Amino acid sequence: MPKPVNFQEKFALFTEQWAPKVIAEMNDYQFKIARLQGEFIWHSHADTDEAFMVLEGQLRIELRDGAVMLQPGELYVVPKGVEHRPCAPQEVKLLLIEPCGVLNTGDQGGERTAVNDVWV
Amino acid sequence: MPKPVNFQEKFALFTEQWAPKVIAEMNDYQFKIARLQGEFIWHSHADTDEAFMVLEGQLRIELRDGAVMLQPGELYVVPKGVEHRPCAPQEVKLLLIEPCGVLNTGDQGGERTAVNDVWV
């Protein structure tokens, strides 16, 4: 019997922050869950939009001209090429949807780049 | 100030069932919300996977070799070419993610085909 992916079951399998884990694929896109807390780095993705959906907690996506606040049950798509910085004073659990191969640090690289394509 | 998409605010804008409404785009993909109740028709999408996420209620996706039960907080990706039939004894609110241009009835067409690319 095929089984759906349950977000909470998947989150129970790791506690690492800033390390997106793949939970499903759709064509050449991936669904990734992540725990974030604190401030990330400013970056952008030159070739793709990136969708953020909050599952638990609150996420602030800073943009150069403002910020978007996301609560559970909310979705925001950062357009390609737009600089953004995810921030969360408390841990937030979120779902990312983006093409396979997209790195969390986009054009910036550096020490906060997570290993890509890790499934949970 | 940019705003996120709030699923409940969007659902409050329509009561029609079996009529997916676009709420956001990501590259050439769309996020659509829909209210389903009852049984749909068997169909498949020859060229694309299709992602279902339940937001409220329960969804049964019948497959030729079984069925998948989805609760809120669960995701299932129907692979391309796989025949499926969504069913919901009570109304279910769900999120669909799929490429632009995908029809709800896939290869089957017919009277249950919803008008495509309707935003809410």
PDB file of all heavy atoms in Angstrom, chain A residues 1-2 4-7 25-27 29 48-49 63 67 69 73-75 77 97, chain B residues 1-2 4-7 25-27 29 48-49 63 67 69 73-77 97:
ATOM      1  N   MET A   1       0.861  -1.206   0.000  1.00  0.00           N
ATOM      2  CA  MET A   1       0.000   0.000   0.000  1.00  0.00           C
ATOM      3  C   MET A   1       0.890   1.246   0.000  1.00  0.00           C
ATOM      4  O   MET A   1       1.700   1.423   0.918  1.00  0.00           O
ATOM      5  CB  MET A   1      -0.883  -0.026   1.259  1.00  0.00           C
ATOM      6  CG  MET A   1      -1.986   0.987   1.237  1.00  0.00           C
ATOM      7  SD  MET A   1      -3.389   0.422   0.236  1.00  0.00           S
ATOM      8  CE  MET A   1      -4.665   0.326   1.488  1.00  0.00           C
ATOM      9  N   PRO A   2       0.766   2.124  -0.974  1.00  0.00           N
ATOM     10  CA  PRO A   2       1.594   3.337  -0.959  1.00  0.00           C
ATOM     11  C   PRO A   2       1.254   4.220   0.237  1.00  0.00           C
ATOM     12  O   PRO A   2       0.114   4.253   0.680  1.00  0.00           O
ATOM     13  CB  PRO A   2       1.247   4.028  -2.280  1.00  0.00           C
ATOM     14  CG  PRO A   2       0.049   3.344  -2.823  1.00  0.00           C
ATOM     15  CD  PRO A   2      -0.147   2.050  -2.110  1.00  0.00           C
ATOM     16  N   PRO A   4       1.584   8.131   2.188  1.00  0.00           N
ATOM     17  CA  PRO A   4       1.922   9.550   2.013  1.00  0.00           C
ATOM     18  C   PRO A   4       3.136   9.910   2.859  1.00  0.00           C
ATOM     19  O   PRO A   4       3.548   9.137   3.729  1.00  0.00           O
ATOM     20  CB  PRO A   4       0.674  10.267   2.534  1.00  0.00           C
ATOM     21  CG  PRO A   4       0.116   9.338   3.555  1.00  0.00           C
ATOM     22  CD  PRO A   4       0.422   7.939   3.060  1.00  0.00           C
ATOM     23  N   VAL A   5       3.703  11.056   2.609  1.00  0.00           N
ATOM     24  CA  VAL A   5       4.765  11.600   3.456  1.00  0.00           C
ATOM     25  C   VAL A   5       4.111  12.418   4.558  1.00  0.00           C
ATOM     26  O   VAL A   5       3.307  13.317   4.280  1.00  0.00           O
ATOM     27  CB  VAL A   5       5.701  12.514   2.638  1.00  0.00           C
ATOM     28  CG1 VAL A   5       6.727  13.159   3.554  1.00  0.00           C
ATOM     29  CG2 VAL A   5       6.389  11.727   1.530  1.00  0.00           C
ATOM     30  N   ASN A   6       4.452  12.093   5.800  1.00  0.00           N
ATOM     31  CA  ASN A   6       3.915  12.833   6.943  1.00  0.00           C
ATOM     32  C   ASN A   6       5.007  13.771   7.462  1.00  0.00           C
ATOM     33  O   ASN A   6       6.079  13.318   7.875  1.00  0.00           O
ATOM     34  CB  ASN A   6       3.463  11.843   8.025  1.00  0.00           C
ATOM     35  CG  ASN A   6       2.890  12.535   9.232  1.00  0.00           C
ATOM     36  OD1 ASN A   6       3.609  13.180   9.985  1.00  0.00           O
ATOM     37  ND2 ASN A   6       1.590  12.407   9.416  1.00  0.00           N
ATOM     38  N   PHE A   7       4.714  15.064   7.443  1.00  0.00           N
ATOM     39  CA  PHE A   7       5.757  16.044   7.790  1.00  0.00           C
ATOM     40  C   PHE A   7       6.291  15.828   9.205  1.00  0.00           C
ATOM     41  O   PHE A   7       7.494  15.867   9.434  1.00  0.00           O
ATOM     42  CB  PHE A   7       5.228  17.472   7.656  1.00  0.00           C
ATOM     43  CG  PHE A   7       4.784  17.826   6.270  1.00  0.00           C
ATOM     44  CD1 PHE A   7       3.565  18.453   6.039  1.00  0.00           C
ATOM     45  CD2 PHE A   7       5.581  17.534   5.168  1.00  0.00           C
ATOM     46  CE1 PHE A   7       3.160  18.777   4.748  1.00  0.00           C
ATOM     47  CE2 PHE A   7       5.183  17.854   3.879  1.00  0.00           C
ATOM     48  CZ  PHE A   7       3.966  18.481   3.674  1.00  0.00           C
ATOM     49  N   GLU A  25       9.917  13.984  -4.401  1.00  0.00           N
ATOM     50  CA  GLU A  25      10.240  14.626  -5.680  1.00  0.00           C
ATOM     51  C   GLU A  25       8.995  14.676  -6.555  1.00  0.00           C
ATOM     52  O   GLU A  25       8.133  13.795  -6.471  1.00  0.00           O
ATOM     53  CB  GLU A  25      11.337  13.847  -6.412  1.00  0.00           C
ATOM     54  CG  GLU A  25      12.722  14.145  -5.884  1.00  0.00           C
ATOM     55  CD  GLU A  25      13.843  13.456  -6.655  1.00  0.00           C
ATOM     56  OE1 GLU A  25      13.543  12.587  -7.493  1.00  0.00           O
ATOM     57  OE2 GLU A  25      15.006  13.779  -6.390  1.00  0.00           O
ATOM     58  N   MET A  26       8.937  15.697  -7.386  1.00  0.00           N
ATOM     59  CA  MET A  26       7.849  15.851  -8.363  1.00  0.00           C
ATOM     60  C   MET A  26       8.528  16.308  -9.650  1.00  0.00           C
ATOM     61  O   MET A  26       9.039  17.425  -9.704  1.00  0.00           O
ATOM     62  CB  MET A  26       6.866  16.909  -7.867  1.00  0.00           C
ATOM     63  CG  MET A  26       5.846  17.357  -8.891  1.00  0.00           C
ATOM     64  SD  MET A  26       4.838  18.739  -8.265  1.00  0.00           S
ATOM     65  CE  MET A  26       6.103  19.964  -7.878  1.00  0.00           C
ATOM     66  N   ASN A  27       8.579  15.433 -10.634  1.00  0.00           N
ATOM     67  CA  ASN A  27       9.350  15.724 -11.855  1.00  0.00           C
ATOM     68  C   ASN A  27      10.781  16.082 -11.437  1.00  0.00           C
ATOM     69  O   ASN A  27      11.395  15.337 -10.686  1.00  0.00           O
ATOM     70  CB  ASN A  27       8.679  16.824 -12.675  1.00  0.00           C
ATOM     71  CG  ASN A  27       7.252  16.445 -13.087  1.00  0.00           C
ATOM     72  OD1 ASN A  27       6.983  15.292 -13.388  1.00  0.00           O
ATOM     73  ND2 ASN A  27       6.347  17.398 -13.082  1.00  0.00           N
ATOM     74  N   TYR A  29      11.598  18.594  -9.528  1.00  0.00           N
ATOM     75  CA  TYR A  29      11.523  19.449  -8.349  1.00  0.00           C
ATOM     76  C   TYR A  29      11.604  18.590  -7.094  1.00  0.00           C
ATOM     77  O   TYR A  29      11.265  17.413  -7.114  1.00  0.00           O
ATOM     78  CB  TYR A  29      10.210  20.248  -8.335  1.00  0.00           C
ATOM     79  CG  TYR A  29      10.254  21.457  -9.234  1.00  0.00           C
ATOM     80  CD1 TYR A  29      10.352  21.314 -10.616  1.00  0.00           C
ATOM     81  CD2 TYR A  29      10.204  22.740  -8.715  1.00  0.00           C
ATOM     82  CE1 TYR A  29      10.419  22.415 -11.450  1.00  0.00           C
ATOM     83  CE2 TYR A  29      10.269  23.853  -9.545  1.00  0.00           C
ATOM     84  CZ  TYR A  29      10.376  23.684 -10.909  1.00  0.00           C
ATOM     85  OH  TYR A  29      10.440  24.789 -11.722  1.00  0.00           O
ATOM     86  N   THR A  48      16.065  30.417 -10.575  1.00  0.00           N
ATOM     87  CA  THR A  48      14.800  29.805 -10.149  1.00  0.00           C
ATOM     88  C   THR A  48      14.109  30.572  -9.035  1.00  0.00           C
ATOM     89  O   THR A  48      14.764  31.178  -8.182  1.00  0.00           O
ATOM     90  CB  THR A  48      15.028  28.351  -9.668  1.00  0.00           C
ATOM     91  OG1 THR A  48      13.755  27.764  -9.333  1.00  0.00           O
ATOM     92  CG2 THR A  48      15.919  28.283  -8.442  1.00  0.00           C
ATOM     93  N   ASP A  49      12.775  30.513  -9.068  1.00  0.00           N
ATOM     94  CA  ASP A  49      11.967  30.916  -7.920  1.00  0.00           C
ATOM     95  C   ASP A  49      12.166  29.870  -6.814  1.00  0.00           C
ATOM     96  O   ASP A  49      12.634  28.761  -7.068  1.00  0.00           O
ATOM     97  CB  ASP A  49      10.478  30.927  -8.290  1.00  0.00           C
ATOM     98  CG  ASP A  49      10.140  31.885  -9.431  1.00  0.00           C
ATOM     99  OD1 ASP A  49      10.944  32.793  -9.713  1.00  0.00           O
ATOM    100  OD2 ASP A  49       9.061  31.714 -10.038  1.00  0.00           O
ATOM    101  N   LEU A  63      13.787  40.975   2.634  1.00  0.00           N
ATOM    102  CA  LEU A  63      14.050  41.347   1.246  1.00  0.00           C
ATOM    103  C   LEU A  63      14.714  42.712   1.285  1.00  0.00           C
ATOM    104  O   LEU A  63      14.634  43.426   2.288  1.00  0.00           O
ATOM    105  CB  LEU A  63      12.738  41.406   0.458  1.00  0.00           C
ATOM    106  CG  LEU A  63      11.883  40.126   0.520  1.00  0.00           C
ATOM    107  CD1 LEU A  63      10.486  40.387  -0.022  1.00  0.00           C
ATOM    108  CD2 LEU A  63      12.566  39.002  -0.240  1.00  0.00           C
ATOM    109  N   ALA A  67      10.128  43.043   4.177  1.00  0.00           N
ATOM    110  CA  ALA A  67      10.207  41.688   4.738  1.00  0.00           C
ATOM    111  C   ALA A  67       8.834  41.056   4.648  1.00  0.00           C
ATOM    112  O   ALA A  67       7.811  41.741   4.653  1.00  0.00           O
ATOM    113  CB  ALA A  67      10.675  41.733   6.186  1.00  0.00           C
ATOM    114  N   MET A  69       6.421  38.221   6.543  1.00  0.00           N
ATOM    115  CA  MET A  69       6.238  37.396   7.731  1.00  0.00           C
ATOM    116  C   MET A  69       5.354  36.222   7.365  1.00  0.00           C
ATOM    117  O   MET A  69       4.247  36.425   6.857  1.00  0.00           O
ATOM    118  CB  MET A  69       5.558  38.198   8.837  1.00  0.00           C
ATOM    119  CG  MET A  69       6.406  39.306   9.413  1.00  0.00           C
ATOM    120  SD  MET A  69       7.889  38.671  10.263  1.00  0.00           S
ATOM    121  CE  MET A  69       7.133  37.514  11.431  1.00  0.00           C
ATOM    122  N   GLY A  73       0.482  27.740   7.549  1.00  0.00           N
ATOM    123  CA  GLY A  73      -0.622  27.879   6.591  1.00  0.00           C
ATOM    124  C   GLY A  73      -0.415  29.017   5.627  1.00  0.00           C
ATOM    125  O   GLY A  73      -1.369  29.470   4.993  1.00  0.00           O
ATOM    126  N   GLU A  74       0.817  29.474   5.511  1.00  0.00           N
ATOM    127  CA  GLU A  74       1.115  30.546   4.565  1.00  0.00           C
ATOM    128  C   GLU A  74       2.287  30.161   3.659  1.00  0.00           C
ATOM    129  O   GLU A  74       3.173  29.405   4.057  1.00  0.00           O
ATOM    130  CB  GLU A  74       1.402  31.865   5.297  1.00  0.00           C
ATOM    131  CG  GLU A  74       0.159  32.391   6.012  1.00  0.00           C
ATOM    132  CD  GLU A  74       0.316  33.773   6.615  1.00  0.00           C
ATOM    133  OE1 GLU A  74       1.459  34.160   6.931  1.00  0.00           O
ATOM    134  OE2 GLU A  74      -0.707  34.459   6.790  1.00  0.00           O
ATOM    135  N   LEU A  75       2.242  30.724   2.478  1.00  0.00           N
ATOM    136  CA  LEU A  75       3.170  30.388   1.404  1.00  0.00           C
ATOM    137  C   LEU A  75       3.718  31.674   0.801  1.00  0.00           C
ATOM    138  O   LEU A  75       2.981  32.638   0.633  1.00  0.00           O
ATOM    139  CB  LEU A  75       2.374  29.627   0.328  1.00  0.00           C
ATOM    140  CG  LEU A  75       3.001  29.401  -1.042  1.00  0.00           C
ATOM    141  CD1 LEU A  75       4.074  28.321  -0.966  1.00  0.00           C
ATOM    142  CD2 LEU A  75       1.917  28.978  -2.051  1.00  0.00           C
ATOM    143  N   VAL A  77       6.514  32.832  -2.440  1.00  0.00           N
ATOM    144  CA  VAL A  77       7.454  32.437  -3.487  1.00  0.00           C
ATOM    145  C   VAL A  77       8.426  33.588  -3.721  1.00  0.00           C
ATOM    146  O   VAL A  77       8.018  34.674  -4.140  1.00  0.00           O
ATOM    147  CB  VAL A  77       6.726  32.078  -4.795  1.00  0.00           C
ATOM    148  CG1 VAL A  77       7.730  31.660  -5.866  1.00  0.00           C
ATOM    149  CG2 VAL A  77       5.708  30.959  -4.560  1.00  0.00           C
ATOM    150  N   ILE A  97      10.025  24.226  -1.673  1.00  0.00           N
ATOM    151  CA  ILE A  97       9.810  23.547  -2.949  1.00  0.00           C
ATOM    152  C   ILE A  97      10.625  24.283  -3.997  1.00  0.00           C
ATOM    153  O   ILE A  97      10.498  25.507  -4.152  1.00  0.00           O
ATOM    154  CB  ILE A  97       8.325  23.527  -3.336  1.00  0.00           C
ATOM    155  CG1 ILE A  97       7.510  22.930  -2.185  1.00  0.00           C
ATOM    156  CG2 ILE A  97       8.094  22.707  -4.606  1.00  0.00           C
ATOM    157  CD1 ILE A  97       6.289  23.717  -1.847  1.00  0.00           C
TER     158      ILE A  97
ATOM    159  N   MET B   1       4.752  46.470   1.181  1.00  0.00           N
ATOM    160  CA  MET B   1       5.285  45.291   1.872  1.00  0.00           C
ATOM    161  C   MET B   1       4.716  44.033   1.219  1.00  0.00           C
ATOM    162  O   MET B   1       3.506  43.859   1.167  1.00  0.00           O
ATOM    163  CB  MET B   1       4.842  45.347   3.351  1.00  0.00           C
ATOM    164  CG  MET B   1       5.563  44.377   4.224  1.00  0.00           C
ATOM    165  SD  MET B   1       7.216  44.980   4.648  1.00  0.00           S
ATOM    166  CE  MET B   1       7.043  45.175   6.420  1.00  0.00           C
ATOM    167  N   PRO B   2       5.564  43.136   0.752  1.00  0.00           N
ATOM    168  CA  PRO B   2       5.034  41.910   0.130  1.00  0.00           C
ATOM    169  C   PRO B   2       4.289  41.058   1.153  1.00  0.00           C
ATOM    170  O   PRO B   2       4.629  41.067   2.327  1.00  0.00           O
ATOM    171  CB  PRO B   2       6.287  41.190  -0.390  1.00  0.00           C
ATOM    172  CG  PRO B   2       7.451  41.875   0.217  1.00  0.00           C
ATOM    173  CD  PRO B   2       7.023  43.187   0.772  1.00  0.00           C
ATOM    174  N   PRO B   4       2.497  37.183   2.177  1.00  0.00           N
ATOM    175  CA  PRO B   4       2.408  35.756   1.847  1.00  0.00           C
ATOM    176  C   PRO B   4       0.988  35.422   1.413  1.00  0.00           C
ATOM    177  O   PRO B   4       0.063  36.212   1.598  1.00  0.00           O
ATOM    178  CB  PRO B   4       2.735  35.075   3.172  1.00  0.00           C
ATOM    179  CG  PRO B   4       2.284  36.044   4.212  1.00  0.00           C
ATOM    180  CD  PRO B   4       2.523  37.417   3.636  1.00  0.00           C
ATOM    181  N   VAL B   5       0.816  34.251   0.842  1.00  0.00           N
ATOM    182  CA  VAL B   5      -0.509  33.726   0.534  1.00  0.00           C
ATOM    183  C   VAL B   5      -0.988  32.944   1.746  1.00  0.00           C
ATOM    184  O   VAL B   5      -0.281  32.049   2.222  1.00  0.00           O
ATOM    185  CB  VAL B   5      -0.459  32.782  -0.682  1.00  0.00           C
ATOM    186  CG1 VAL B   5      -1.821  32.147  -0.915  1.00  0.00           C
ATOM    187  CG2 VAL B   5       0.011  33.529  -1.920  1.00  0.00           C
ATOM    188  N   ASN B   6      -2.159  33.294   2.249  1.00  0.00           N
ATOM    189  CA  ASN B   6      -2.749  32.592   3.385  1.00  0.00           C
ATOM    190  C   ASN B   6      -3.839  31.652   2.873  1.00  0.00           C
ATOM    191  O   ASN B   6      -4.815  32.103   2.263  1.00  0.00           O
ATOM    192  CB  ASN B   6      -3.314  33.616   4.376  1.00  0.00           C
ATOM    193  CG  ASN B   6      -3.915  32.967   5.593  1.00  0.00           C
ATOM    194  OD1 ASN B   6      -4.961  32.319   5.508  1.00  0.00           O
ATOM    195  ND2 ASN B   6      -3.266  33.123   6.727  1.00  0.00           N
ATOM    196  N   PHE B   7      -3.649  30.356   3.106  1.00  0.00           N
ATOM    197  CA  PHE B   7      -4.583  29.379   2.532  1.00  0.00           C
ATOM    198  C   PHE B   7      -6.029  29.624   2.987  1.00  0.00           C
ATOM    199  O   PHE B   7      -6.950  29.576   2.184  1.00  0.00           O
ATOM    200  CB  PHE B   7      -4.174  27.948   2.913  1.00  0.00           C
ATOM    201  CG  PHE B   7      -2.809  27.565   2.413  1.00  0.00           C
ATOM    202  CD1 PHE B   7      -1.900  26.931   3.246  1.00  0.00           C
ATOM    203  CD2 PHE B   7      -2.432  27.820   1.105  1.00  0.00           C
ATOM    204  CE1 PHE B   7      -0.634  26.566   2.789  1.00  0.00           C
ATOM    205  CE2 PHE B   7      -1.168  27.466   0.641  1.00  0.00           C
ATOM    206  CZ  PHE B   7      -0.273  26.843   1.490  1.00  0.00           C
ATOM    207  N   GLU B  25       2.458  31.075  -8.282  1.00  0.00           N
ATOM    208  CA  GLU B  25       3.255  30.403  -9.305  1.00  0.00           C
ATOM    209  C   GLU B  25       4.718  30.344  -8.869  1.00  0.00           C
ATOM    210  O   GLU B  25       5.200  31.240  -8.162  1.00  0.00           O
ATOM    211  CB  GLU B  25       3.170  31.147 -10.646  1.00  0.00           C
ATOM    212  CG  GLU B  25       1.896  30.832 -11.412  1.00  0.00           C
ATOM    213  CD  GLU B  25       1.823  31.498 -12.779  1.00  0.00           C
ATOM    214  OE1 GLU B  25       2.688  32.363 -13.081  1.00  0.00           O
ATOM    215  OE2 GLU B  25       0.883  31.186 -13.516  1.00  0.00           O
ATOM    216  N   MET B  26       5.399  29.295  -9.314  1.00  0.00           N
ATOM    217  CA  MET B  26       6.837  29.140  -9.068  1.00  0.00           C
ATOM    218  C   MET B  26       7.426  28.645 -10.385  1.00  0.00           C
ATOM    219  O   MET B  26       7.136  27.519 -10.806  1.00  0.00           O
ATOM    220  CB  MET B  26       7.045  28.097  -7.965  1.00  0.00           C
ATOM    221  CG  MET B  26       8.470  27.644  -7.767  1.00  0.00           C
ATOM    222  SD  MET B  26       8.588  26.285  -6.560  1.00  0.00           S
ATOM    223  CE  MET B  26       7.477  25.069  -7.264  1.00  0.00           C
ATOM    224  N   ASN B  27       8.197  29.477 -11.038  1.00  0.00           N
ATOM    225  CA  ASN B  27       8.673  29.158 -12.388  1.00  0.00           C
ATOM    226  C   ASN B  27       7.450  28.796 -13.248  1.00  0.00           C
ATOM    227  O   ASN B  27       6.503  29.575 -13.294  1.00  0.00           O
ATOM    228  CB  ASN B  27       9.722  28.051 -12.345  1.00  0.00           C
ATOM    229  CG  ASN B  27      10.925  28.434 -11.481  1.00  0.00           C
ATOM    230  OD1 ASN B  27      11.333  29.599 -11.493  1.00  0.00           O
ATOM    231  ND2 ASN B  27      11.470  27.512 -10.738  1.00  0.00           N
ATOM    232  N   TYR B  29       5.418  26.331 -12.670  1.00  0.00           N
ATOM    233  CA  TYR B  29       4.527  25.503 -11.856  1.00  0.00           C
ATOM    234  C   TYR B  29       3.487  26.382 -11.164  1.00  0.00           C
ATOM    235  O   TYR B  29       3.719  27.571 -10.949  1.00  0.00           O
ATOM    236  CB  TYR B  29       5.321  24.725 -10.795  1.00  0.00           C
ATOM    237  CG  TYR B  29       5.974  23.485 -11.347  1.00  0.00           C
ATOM    238  CD1 TYR B  29       7.020  23.580 -12.270  1.00  0.00           C
ATOM    239  CD2 TYR B  29       5.561  22.209 -10.978  1.00  0.00           C
ATOM    240  CE1 TYR B  29       7.608  22.440 -12.810  1.00  0.00           C
ATOM    241  CE2 TYR B  29       6.161  21.063 -11.499  1.00  0.00           C
ATOM    242  CZ  TYR B  29       7.183  21.195 -12.414  1.00  0.00           C
ATOM    243  OH  TYR B  29       7.767  20.068 -12.935  1.00  0.00           O
ATOM    244  N   THR B  48       3.350  14.412 -16.526  1.00  0.00           N
ATOM    245  CA  THR B  48       3.806  15.048 -15.283  1.00  0.00           C
ATOM    246  C   THR B  48       3.341  14.324 -14.033  1.00  0.00           C
ATOM    247  O   THR B  48       2.262  13.727 -13.996  1.00  0.00           O
ATOM    248  CB  THR B  48       3.306  16.509 -15.201  1.00  0.00           C
ATOM    249  OG1 THR B  48       3.835  17.118 -14.000  1.00  0.00           O
ATOM    250  CG2 THR B  48       1.789  16.594 -15.142  1.00  0.00           C
ATOM    251  N   ASP B  49       4.175  14.396 -12.999  1.00  0.00           N
ATOM    252  CA  ASP B  49       3.769  14.030 -11.646  1.00  0.00           C
ATOM    253  C   ASP B  49       2.783  15.099 -11.148  1.00  0.00           C
ATOM    254  O   ASP B  49       2.709  16.201 -11.705  1.00  0.00           O
ATOM    255  CB  ASP B  49       4.979  14.032 -10.710  1.00  0.00           C
ATOM    256  CG  ASP B  49       6.072  13.050 -11.117  1.00  0.00           C
ATOM    257  OD1 ASP B  49       5.793  12.124 -11.909  1.00  0.00           O
ATOM    258  OD2 ASP B  49       7.209  13.225 -10.633  1.00  0.00           O
ATOM    259  N   LEU B  63      -5.756   4.213  -6.310  1.00  0.00           N
ATOM    260  CA  LEU B  63      -4.840   3.816  -7.377  1.00  0.00           C
ATOM    261  C   LEU B  63      -5.295   2.440  -7.844  1.00  0.00           C
ATOM    262  O   LEU B  63      -6.052   1.758  -7.145  1.00  0.00           O
ATOM    263  CB  LEU B  63      -3.405   3.756  -6.827  1.00  0.00           C
ATOM    264  CG  LEU B  63      -2.922   5.046  -6.157  1.00  0.00           C
ATOM    265  CD1 LEU B  63      -1.633   4.797  -5.374  1.00  0.00           C
ATOM    266  CD2 LEU B  63      -2.723   6.152  -7.181  1.00  0.00           C
ATOM    267  N   ALA B  67      -4.772   2.241  -2.427  1.00  0.00           N
ATOM    268  CA  ALA B  67      -5.248   3.599  -2.185  1.00  0.00           C
ATOM    269  C   ALA B  67      -4.322   4.260  -1.178  1.00  0.00           C
ATOM    270  O   ALA B  67      -3.704   3.586  -0.351  1.00  0.00           O
ATOM    271  CB  ALA B  67      -6.669   3.583  -1.656  1.00  0.00           C
ATOM    272  N   MET B  69      -4.270   7.174   1.814  1.00  0.00           N
ATOM    273  CA  MET B  69      -5.095   8.036   2.671  1.00  0.00           C
ATOM    274  C   MET B  69      -4.245   9.212   3.112  1.00  0.00           C
ATOM    275  O   MET B  69      -3.169   8.997   3.684  1.00  0.00           O
ATOM    276  CB  MET B  69      -5.558   7.270   3.911  1.00  0.00           C
ATOM    277  CG  MET B  69      -6.556   6.169   3.629  1.00  0.00           C
ATOM    278  SD  MET B  69      -8.142   6.776   2.975  1.00  0.00           S
ATOM    279  CE  MET B  69      -8.600   7.988   4.238  1.00  0.00           C
ATOM    280  N   GLY B  73      -1.273  17.746   6.839  1.00  0.00           N
ATOM    281  CA  GLY B  73       0.147  17.601   7.121  1.00  0.00           C
ATOM    282  C   GLY B  73       0.763  16.430   6.391  1.00  0.00           C
ATOM    283  O   GLY B  73       1.851  15.979   6.765  1.00  0.00           O
ATOM    284  N   GLU B  74       0.081  15.945   5.362  1.00  0.00           N
ATOM    285  CA  GLU B  74       0.629  14.841   4.577  1.00  0.00           C
ATOM    286  C   GLU B  74       0.629  15.197   3.093  1.00  0.00           C
ATOM    287  O   GLU B  74      -0.216  15.963   2.610  1.00  0.00           O
ATOM    288  CB  GLU B  74      -0.137  13.549   4.836  1.00  0.00           C
ATOM    289  CG  GLU B  74       0.055  13.064   6.272  1.00  0.00           C
ATOM    290  CD  GLU B  74      -0.542  11.693   6.544  1.00  0.00           C
ATOM    291  OE1 GLU B  74      -1.489  11.292   5.837  1.00  0.00           O
ATOM    292  OE2 GLU B  74      -0.064  11.029   7.473  1.00  0.00           O
ATOM    293  N   LEU B  75       1.586  14.605   2.413  1.00  0.00           N
ATOM    294  CA  LEU B  75       1.855  14.904   1.010  1.00  0.00           C
ATOM    295  C   LEU B  75       1.981  13.598   0.239  1.00  0.00           C
ATOM    296  O   LEU B  75       2.574  12.637   0.735  1.00  0.00           O
ATOM    297  CB  LEU B  75       3.196  15.654   0.953  1.00  0.00           C
ATOM    298  CG  LEU B  75       3.897  15.838  -0.395  1.00  0.00           C
ATOM    299  CD1 LEU B  75       3.183  16.908  -1.216  1.00  0.00           C
ATOM    300  CD2 LEU B  75       5.353  16.265  -0.165  1.00  0.00           C
ATOM    301  N   TYR B  76       1.432  13.592  -0.965  1.00  0.00           N
ATOM    302  CA  TYR B  76       1.645  12.422  -1.823  1.00  0.00           C
ATOM    303  C   TYR B  76       1.819  12.899  -3.260  1.00  0.00           C
ATOM    304  O   TYR B  76       1.080  13.781  -3.719  1.00  0.00           O
ATOM    305  CB  TYR B  76       0.468  11.441  -1.733  1.00  0.00           C
ATOM    306  CG  TYR B  76       0.747  10.151  -2.473  1.00  0.00           C
ATOM    307  CD1 TYR B  76       1.645   9.223  -1.972  1.00  0.00           C
ATOM    308  CD2 TYR B  76       0.145   9.885  -3.702  1.00  0.00           C
ATOM    309  CE1 TYR B  76       1.934   8.042  -2.649  1.00  0.00           C
ATOM    310  CE2 TYR B  76       0.420   8.706  -4.384  1.00  0.00           C
ATOM    311  CZ  TYR B  76       1.313   7.794  -3.856  1.00  0.00           C
ATOM    312  OH  TYR B  76       1.604   6.637  -4.525  1.00  0.00           O
ATOM    313  N   VAL B  77       2.794  12.326  -3.929  1.00  0.00           N
ATOM    314  CA  VAL B  77       3.042  12.687  -5.323  1.00  0.00           C
ATOM    315  C   VAL B  77       2.613  11.521  -6.211  1.00  0.00           C
ATOM    316  O   VAL B  77       3.184  10.427  -6.123  1.00  0.00           O
ATOM    317  CB  VAL B  77       4.527  13.030  -5.561  1.00  0.00           C
ATOM    318  CG1 VAL B  77       4.747  13.404  -7.027  1.00  0.00           C
ATOM    319  CG2 VAL B  77       4.974  14.166  -4.644  1.00  0.00           C
ATOM    320  N   ILE B  97       0.134  20.896  -6.456  1.00  0.00           N
ATOM    321  CA  ILE B  97       1.280  21.554  -7.087  1.00  0.00           C
ATOM    322  C   ILE B  97       1.597  20.781  -8.354  1.00  0.00           C
ATOM    323  O   ILE B  97       1.781  19.552  -8.316  1.00  0.00           O
ATOM    324  CB  ILE B  97       2.498  21.580  -6.148  1.00  0.00           C
ATOM    325  CG1 ILE B  97       2.109  22.225  -4.809  1.00  0.00           C
ATOM    326  CG2 ILE B  97       3.651  22.371  -6.773  1.00  0.00           C
ATOM    327  CD1 ILE B  97       2.560  21.462  -3.627  1.00  0.00           C
TER     328      ILE B  97
END
